[in-house]
Amino acid sequence: MNANVDGLAIGPDTGLSRSALVTARHVVAASFLAWMLDACDFFIVLFTLDDVARGFGVSLQAVLLAPTLTLLTRPLGAFLCGRAADRYGRKPAMITIIMVYSAIEVLSAFAPTLATFLLLRALFGIALGGEWGVGTSLIMESVPPSWRGMASGILQAGYPAGYLLASLVFLLLPVLGWRGLFVLGGSALSSALYIWLRVPESPEWLARHKNRDGAVPPATGLWSLVRDNMALCAFAVALMAGFNFMSHGSQDLYPKIFLGLERGLSHPSITLVVVLYNIAAIAGGLFFGMLSQRIGRQYSIALAALLTLPLLPLWTLPHSTAWLTLGAVCIQFCIQGAWGVVPAYLSELSPAWARATFPGLAYQCGNLLAASNALIQTSLATLLGTGLAVPLMLTVGLAALVVLGLTLANARLHPATR
């Protein structure tokens, strides 16, 4: 079925030249690389929290404020960077964002005090929050229509790929120290060079924003976006809150707290489980992203969310390492599989003039609502006296039901987007 949502055609290719296909491949590769390296820089902080605390001579609790500040400033970044990309172009915004987060990562290595380090991590959150929405708009406006499902899955796979890359970089800690790892994280600057040399501006953005004299019209404000699309904005934020509860609910406490403390797995075993479920996450994003090209974005998301539900007991109830590993691999394949459709889905729902602002802001506002996930899960464990197994199943299961219900409801209300 062919459709058109705010200028984004959904259907087979009409034919592109060889040079256009090569350019599209560069756009996909560059957007994936930028998101992967951004995620890697974020996870380096999580892997080195203990070392950073010792380096500054403070408690671990004090350093835990760093990732919290990063999460809190992500919606601000989504708005500011999205607005810049919608007004001045996707390419310059992407290059600037990458340069900023690379510089912040290096500066974090030389932070003289914890206060300076925390300020830099808050600033990093602005770049982290802005990169995804801008990258999504660039890739979805630049690739052929029949590539969008696959490209969506590839882009979203950058997040678990960044997690994997950070795991490998962390092996260098004894050699480089935590400050050296942050300096190494600055090599993300290479993706900005790649975009500058090989990636052109979005042709859809050029067609919308350039008049005959080459002038760029002013961007419409955030209030106009919300006022004119109130139902859509509420739907998108609620949906992304469900998505983030699924993702954070299945990952934040699972490795160290649940597998390590409650199930007693050794560090090498936990590492192996994490590596395997991140590989499954990448595969799931690609699979469901490509599937969405055949059965529609909403039905692909709904299927992945539905398949999550029967896997919940296998994911948390066994005590065998083998069964826990199988459960973790299967559930991340489905959860991150649903995520693999999100870039294409939100882009196709977005008003054309806000395609860099709307998806990223919806994502990051949903992420902000899900920031209470770890607190909810630990509070439930204390209240129920069951350990984390039941709270993990409850939070992820309810989030999956929310995602399933919202996507199916929207499919009935807006069949053209299926």
Side-chain angles (χ1 to χ4, degrees):
M1 177 181 66
N2 294 330
N4 188 286
V5 184
D6 287 318
L8 278 180
I10 309 169
D13 281 335
T14 56
L16 288 176
S17 66
R18 183 178 180 84
S19 61
L21 290 173
V22 170
T23 296
R25 292 189 185 102
H26 282 304
V27 172
V28 172
S31 299
F32 168 82
L33 185 64
W35 184 225
M36 178 186 71
L37 294 176
D38 200 357
C40 177
D41 286 356
F42 172 70
F43 280 111
I44 284 175
V45 177
L46 299 184
F47 283 129
T48 58
L49 286 173
D50 291 348
D51 305 280
V52 174
R54 285 193 294 270
F56 288 119
V58 298
S59 68
L60 178 60
Q61 286 70 25
V63 179
L64 282 171
L65 188 56
T68 301
L69 289 172
T70 299
L71 292 175
L72 288 175
T73 55
R74 282 170 69 166
L76 177 62
F79 172 66
L80 294 177
C81 299
R83 283 266 297 174
D86 281 326
R87 181 166 186 177
Y88 301 111
R90 289 44 169 131
K91 180 176 178 176
M94 277 281 283
I95 292 174
T96 302
I97 291 167
I98 295 167
M99 291 175 65
V100 168
Y101 77 63
S102 299
I104 291 172
E105 194 73 2
V106 174
L107 289 173
S108 297
F110 298 99
T113 64
L114 177 62
T116 304
F117 182 81
L118 294 176
L119 174 62
L120 288 168
R121 300 324 296 176
L123 294 175
F124 181 83
I126 296 176
L128 177 65
E131 197 283 331
W132 186 88
V134 178
T136 294
S137 62
L138 176 63
I139 199 171
M140 292 301 146
E141 292 179 346
S142 300
V143 302
S146 64
W147 285 26
R148 289 195 180 116
M150 175 189 66
S152 179
I154 291 173
L155 173 62
Q156 196 57 40
Y159 193 75
Y163 193 160
L164 276 177
L165 181 59
S167 301
L168 297 175
V169 170
F170 183 61
L171 297 175
L172 298 174
L173 179 67
V175 178
L176 300 178
W178 71 267
R179 293 182 184 273
L181 296 187
F182 280 84
V183 172
L184 189 60
S187 62
L189 189 64
S190 59
S191 61
L193 180 62
Y194 181 22
I195 293 171
W196 179 53
L197 293 174
R198 308 296 289 182
V199 175
E201 182 55 83
S202 155
E204 288 197 27
W205 184 89
L206 289 173
R208 275 196 309 272
H209 287 75
K210 295 287 186 179
N211 61 26
R212 292 180 181 177
D213 299 322
V216 181
T220 308
L222 176 63
W223 170 239
S224 298
L225 172 63
V226 176
R227 181 194 62 210
D228 298 339
N229 303 276
M230 195 165 294
L232 175 62
C233 291
F235 164 78
V237 172
L239 179 67
M240 296 316 297
F243 263 102
N244 279 287
F245 267 110
M246 278 203 306
S247 183
H248 288 288
S250 64
Q251 291 182 342
D252 290 2
L253 301 180
Y254 191 77
K256 286 191 174 181
I257 307 301
F258 179 72
L259 294 181
L261 297 182
E262 293 198 2
R263 289 295 184 262
L265 270 64
S266 65
H267 182 72
S269 296
I270 295 173
T271 301
L272 178 61
V273 174
V274 170
V275 168
L276 290 176
Y277 75 54
N278 273 290
I279 293 173
I282 294 170
L286 295 174
F287 174 80
F288 284 99
M290 290 187 287
L291 182 65
S292 75
Q293 204 67 35
R294 292 182 173 273
I295 68 174
R297 313 296 185 218
Q298 290 155 322
Y299 293 128
S300 187
I301 290 171
L303 177 61
L306 179 62
L307 291 175
T308 297
L309 298 174
L311 293 169
L312 293 172
L314 179 63
W315 172 56
T316 58
L317 296 183
H319 288 263
S320 161
T321 302
W323 284 111
L324 285 169
T325 301
L326 179 61
V329 165
C330 291
I331 207 163
Q332 290 302 329
F333 179 86
C334 295
I335 289 175
Q336 301 307 322
W339 267 101
V341 188
V342 168
Y345 183 48
L346 288 184
S347 290
E348 290 165 359
L349 288 177
S350 173
W353 59 267
R355 197 167 284 133
T357 304
F358 175 79
L361 193 57
Y363 175 6
Q364 302 305 343
C365 287
N367 190 50
L368 188 62
L369 292 176
S372 58
N373 164 76
L375 179 61
I376 290 173
Q377 289 180 328
T378 53
S379 298
L380 279 174
T382 302
L383 179 65
L384 299 174
T386 58
L388 277 174
V390 173
L392 287 171
M393 287 192 290
L394 284 175
T395 51
V396 174
L398 287 174
L401 286 173
V402 168
V403 170
L404 175 64
L406 286 175
T407 50
L408 290 180
N410 197 50
R412 291 179 64 85
L413 291 172
H414 302 95
T417 64
R418 282 182 277 178

